[in-house]
Amino acid sequence: MDVLISIKPKYVKSIVSGEKKVEYRKRLFKHLPCRIYIYASSPVKRIIGYFEYAGYYSGVPDEVWKISCEYAGVDYDTFSNYFADVELAYALKIDKLVIFSKPVSPESIFDEFKAPQSFFYVREGIEREKLRSLV
């Protein structure tokens, strides 16, 4: 199973540069994925690549910050504002990052594409095969 996550372009840039090696989330997947595809949200609106699922850190936000701040790609204020309304924080480890030579329009992969607020599962079959053939 694979997922597509939506990330703001400024954070995508930090991921691509290697500055950001964790992706913070308020909730986690029920089904653990193999690959996590990165959708750069508006104004980019493209799938730029993926990383292999390599686990995550979880705990109260301050604990997660202490574990992951070296790889956060954001400052503490941004982090704490994001997690202000939750008791549990997640930091996905970004491992084996693959960036496509040309960002991909999601409409070329998915029928009736709607950008996810957080993430969605990539259905087995043709959509998954199209994504996997991009490498």
Side-chain angles (χ1 to χ4, degrees):
M1 174 156 309
D2 296 338
V3 297
L4 180 111
I5 61 174
S6 184
I7 303 176
K8 292 179 181 179
K10 66 181 178 180
Y11 301 128
V12 169
K13 187 176 180 180
S14 295
I15 290 169
V16 171
S17 75
E19 174 188 2
K20 185 171 175 40
K21 296 183 181 181
V22 293
E23 173 57 21
Y24 295 114
R25 295 284 147 162
K26 292 180 182 179
R27 62 186 182 104
L28 203 58
F29 324 111
K30 289 182 182 175
H31 307 286
L32 298 180
C34 295
R35 288 184 180 173
I36 300 172
Y37 288 91
I38 301 168
Y39 172 75
S41 60
S42 185
V44 176
K45 298 181 181 180
R46 294 285 184 265
I47 302 168
I48 61 95
Y50 69 90
F51 58 94
E52 300 289 333
Y53 174 76
Y56 60 90
Y57 306 110
S58 67
V60 297
D62 281 345
E63 288 174 0
V64 171
W65 177 254
K66 287 176 189 171
I67 295 168
S68 64
C69 63
E70 184 178 346
Y71 313 107
V74 298
D75 61 27
Y76 179 73
D77 287 342
T78 301
F79 173 89
S80 60
N81 286 337
Y82 180 69
F83 287 114
D85 60 342
V86 298
E87 295 179 18
L88 193 58
Y90 299 94
L92 291 168
K93 298 176 187 177
I94 298 173
D95 189 38
K96 298 179 184 170
L97 179 65
V98 174
I99 301 302
F100 300 144
S101 57
K102 182 178 178 188
V104 178
S105 167
E107 289 82 6
S108 69
I109 304 292
F110 302 99
D111 293 333
E112 301 177 29
F113 177 79
K114 291 182 183 169
Q117 288 295 314
S118 179
F119 71 90
F120 66 67
Y121 294 101
V122 176
R123 294 188 306 235
E124 298 293 323
I126 196 156
E127 292 173 345
R128 183 173 187 226
E129 294 307 314
K130 283 181 183 179
L131 281 169
R132 290 198 168 225
S133 71
L134 297 171
V135 180

